[in-house]
Structure formats: C-alpha cells, structure tokens
Amino acid sequence: MNSRVKNLLFWVVVGLFMILLFNLFSVPTHAPEDEVIFSDFMAKLDKGEVMKVTIKANHISAILKDQSRIRTYTAEYPELVKHLREKDVQIEARPPDESPWYITFLVTWGPFILFWMPCGPATFTGPSTSTFCWSRL
C-alpha cells in the first residue's frame, strides 16, 4: 500500500474518532427512564400521576409528578391524546429520530469505498481487474 493511501486511511480513522467523541459528549444527560408496560402507564395516567408526556411515533416518555421518568411503547391508540387532555397532561409531540447524515453516508458508501478502492495504477490494468486492493497488502 502506498503512503498516500495509508495517509488517507489514517485521516479517515482520525475523523471518525473525532465524530465519535463529539457524539459521546454532546448527548444531553437526564435522569434514567424506567421501562413500563403500556397498561401500567395508563394506570398511572388514570391515577393522575403523569405530569408531562413526549410522544415520538409510538414511543412515549413521561415525567411523573414525583419527577421520576418512565417510558413505554404503544400500539395504535387513537384516543390517547384525548385521554391525556382529559387528565390535563402536558403533551409534546416530536418527529421520529433520524440517523445523522454521516452515519447514512458511511452505511451507504463505506463498503463500496473499502472494497473497491484502487491501490494504485496497476489495479485497473490487465486481466486481474476483479481482484481486490486488499489482496496485495
């Protein structure tokens, strides 16, 4: 492998490591959430223990009046918002999480770049054009 390719791979690894560190330290921290089944969530709602909910698609996170946090998953339940409003619960709706652009890029193009990356001028000459770069390492 020539020095240019080694240098490029080194900086790609350094860049990925920097992105990893950025994501590690930029995630907001909050109190841990206890996973409960949906019927337990509804029981707490009926007792008036739920203060606020955040709904992302079918995922529900709730803050109780004692400041503890719970989360649950719901099937299709069209009356949920109506039921929450009847109990005077603060409702926050959010779109589902999407993958960051660089994760999508790496998943889409990463295998192509790794396995079809040319190793030099001899890669595309002669009858051995189907051999991988890694076979000459």
Side-chain angles (χ1 to χ4, degrees):
M1 187 179 324
N2 65 24
S3 64
R4 184 182 298 175
V5 174
K6 286 181 184 179
N7 194 18
L8 177 67
L9 286 176
F10 171 76
W11 286 111
V12 167
V13 170
V14 167
L16 291 175
F17 185 70
M18 296 298 285
I19 291 171
L20 175 77
L21 285 177
F22 176 76
N23 281 338
L24 183 67
F25 293 112
S26 68
V27 175
T29 58
H30 53 77
E33 297 177 336
D34 291 328
E35 183 84 26
V36 297
I37 60 173
F38 185 69
S39 58
D40 289 346
F41 168 76
M42 292 303 292
K44 289 181 184 299
L45 180 63
D46 289 336
K47 290 180 192 173
E49 296 177 12
V50 180
M51 184 173 68
K52 178 182 177 182
V53 297
T54 302
I55 302 172
K56 287 185 187 179
N58 290 4
H59 298 276
I60 300 173
S61 297
I63 301 175
L64 304 179
K65 291 188 177 175
D66 65 358
Q67 298 303 314
S68 62
R69 295 175 179 260
I70 60 172
R71 71 173 184 256
T72 190
Y73 183 83
T74 179
E76 198 62 34
Y77 184 51
E79 300 294 318
L80 178 63
V81 173
K82 181 181 174 187
H83 198 63
L84 290 168
R85 291 184 59 139
E86 288 172 357
K87 298 293 181 178
D88 290 326
V89 175
Q90 188 178 12
I91 304 168
E92 180 181 358
R94 292 189 177 176
D97 292 333
E98 294 184 18
S99 297
W101 67 269
Y102 49 85
I103 298 295
T104 305
F105 176 80
L106 287 175
V107 168
T108 305
W109 289 98
F112 178 78
I113 292 170
L114 284 176
F115 291 114
W116 299 102
M117 181 176 61
C119 289
T123 303
F124 295 108
T125 60
S128 63
T129 57
S130 64
T131 60
F132 290 118
C133 166
W134 304 107
S135 64
R136 296 190 303 176
L137 294 178

